[in-house]
Amino acid sequence: MNKSKKIGFIGLGAMGKPMALNLLKAGYSVLAFDINQNMVDEIAKQGAVPCTSSGEVAVAADVMITSLPNAGIVEVVMVGSEGIFSQCKAGTTIIDMSSVSPSSTLKMAALAKPLGIDYVDAPVSGGTKGAEAGTLTIMVGADDAVFEQIKPILEVIGSDIYHVGATGTGDAVKIVNNLMLGCNMAILAEALILGVKCGLKVETMQQIISKSSGRSYVMDAKLEKFIMKDSFEGGFAMDLQHKDLGLALEAGKENNIPLPMTALATQIFESGKASGLGREDMSAIIKVWEKITNVKVTGGE
Ligand code: NAD
């Protein structure tokens, strides 16, 4: 995409700010807004044009990107009285990179179409580290022509860009992925507790199972880095994992698909949130099992 095009960025949080910074570094002109003024001030120091509302961004931008906490907020930012839809010009492309349900995206896309706005879902995986490094996996739901038009922008933000299919399919693959992530984490936690209770060292289980059929991404990514260190800062917040399981349940309900494992995992993470672990990495769920069973796994060798 032509770098003279102006990119509007709404939502400068843990993911949005580093993504917007990477666009600035790549030479794009970025107009930025967040309800948290500090975030706007910080990115303005790096060269972004500070704005006082989403609408102000929308008036001037050619392409809009949103990275917001949830679908309710995305919908208000899009169609609220001062929202993006009422302010942006026909021909604008809106790329929503938040994790939301496919049905919410389809609703927004249907409202955008008569206004001449292309609405794209492009949720991400890879966490804040991936956002900072510009190595996110991006799952895009868009028409072919729109995807080709926005691909150069996405290539600045991520390293693995997938055009999944039509609008809503990016969100769908994201919630399927995170359903699996959450269920696998819940399984890892209870399995480790049983192993230690049966007299195994955590290190022994790691060594053998990582070469056996019980291995998983969460074992690679979470066991040594968080659980064995008994340190749960950074990583992927339990609150977000819980939210994503809820999105999967919502999609299951809308599509008449039973998701019993997902429902159970949601309740397990609900208990983690109730224990005050919501802001820690999702692998902190093991601390709930430790408390119930009086078995110590964290920090274990
Ligand atoms: P965050 O809470 O750090 O950032 C969200 C930002 O949106 C905040 O700065 C907040 O002030 C701003 N905001 C809220 N309401 C607003 C409004 N009405 N107008 C403008 N700005 C508003 O969240 P995050 O971790 O950056 O996540 C953003 C999205 O990416 C979420 O949908 C999340 O599920 C998804 N996600 C996060 C991660 C991760 O590791 N953090 C990974 C993948 C996907």
Side-chain angles (χ1 to χ4, degrees):
M1 168 162 290
N2 184 341
K3 285 193 181 164
S4 67
K5 296 248 181 205
K6 291 181 182 151
I7 300 179
F9 212 111
I10 315 279
L12 305 163
M15 299 297 285
K17 189 176 149 210
M19 289 194 247
L21 274 175
N22 282 333
L23 289 166
L24 281 167
K25 280 184 209 152
Y28 283 101
S29 164
V30 176
L31 301 108
F33 174 69
D34 191 295
I35 49 168
N36 182 341
Q37 185 62 38
N38 292 338
M39 307 311 263
V40 180
D41 293 343
E42 279 177 30
I43 198 135
K45 279 186 204 143
Q46 309 288 326
V49 179
C51 294
T52 55
S53 68
S54 300
E56 189 187 336
V57 177
V59 168
D62 302 301
V63 174
M64 297 284 299
I65 299 180
T66 48
S67 176
L68 294 163
N70 58 50
I73 293 175
V74 170
E75 293 187 13
V76 169
V77 167
M78 296 301 165
V79 298
S81 55
E82 303 273 304
I84 297 175
F85 284 13
S86 68
Q87 303 299 315
C88 69
K89 45 190 175 284
T92 303
T93 302
I94 300 176
I95 309 169
D96 181 34
M97 307 194 79
S98 324
S99 300
V100 300
S101 65
S103 59
S104 169
T105 286
L106 289 172
K107 190 165 74 180
M108 291 301 100
L111 292 170
K113 200 167 185 179
L115 304 171
I117 300 166
D118 290 314
Y119 195 89
V120 174
D121 48 315
V124 301
S125 184
T128 49
K129 284 215 168 69
E132 282 156 18
T135 56
L136 291 168
T137 298
I138 308 181
M139 307 154 217
V140 188
D143 292 347
D144 291 350
V146 177
F147 175 73
E148 287 308 321
Q149 184 206 337
I150 61 171
K151 202 170 157 201
I153 293 177
L154 300 179
E155 282 170 344
V156 172
I157 296 171
S159 54
D160 294 280
I161 323 292
Y162 295 99
H163 183 199
V164 187
T167 311
T169 57
D171 290 330
V173 75
K174 168 71 183 171
I175 60 176
V176 169
N177 178 74
N178 281 34
L179 170 170
M180 295 172 77
L181 175 66
C183 289
N184 283 330
M185 185 62 242
I187 292 290
L188 178 66
E190 68 178 40
L192 291 172
I193 295 276
L194 175 68
V196 169
K197 187 75 179 178
C198 291
L200 298 173
K201 283 186 170 178
V202 178
E203 202 176 48
T204 307
M205 288 188 273
Q206 180 199 29
Q207 202 178 19
I208 297 173
I209 298 170
S210 65
K211 300 282 179 215
S212 303
S213 49
R215 69 185 179 272
S216 62
Y217 164 81
V218 280
M219 185 163 221
D220 293 346
K222 304 294 183 187
L223 183 52
E224 200 169 332
K225 190 171 171 197
F226 295 99
I227 297 173
M228 289 169 79
K229 287 200 176 121
D230 196 6
S231 170
F232 298 93
E233 275 177 34
F236 185 53
M238 193 178 299
D239 279 340
L240 288 177
Q241 179 59 71
H242 178 264
K243 171 199 146 184
D244 291 347
L245 287 166
L247 290 175
L249 288 181
E250 192 183 322
K253 204 166 184 184
E254 286 165 358
N255 291 286
N256 212 17
I257 299 295
L259 299 168
M261 305 290 281
T262 309
L264 197 51
T266 308
Q267 288 303 306
I268 289 168
F269 285 104
E270 192 81 55
S271 66
K273 276 165 63 85
S275 307
L277 303 171
R279 300 185 77 91
E280 297 191 20
D281 181 71
M282 40 109 73
S283 58
I285 195 63
I286 191 129
K287 292 197 262 186
V288 173
W289 294 119
E290 286 188 323
K291 201 166 179 190
I292 295 168
T293 60
N294 208 22
V295 170
K296 180 85 173 142
V297 172
T298 50
E301 289 176 4

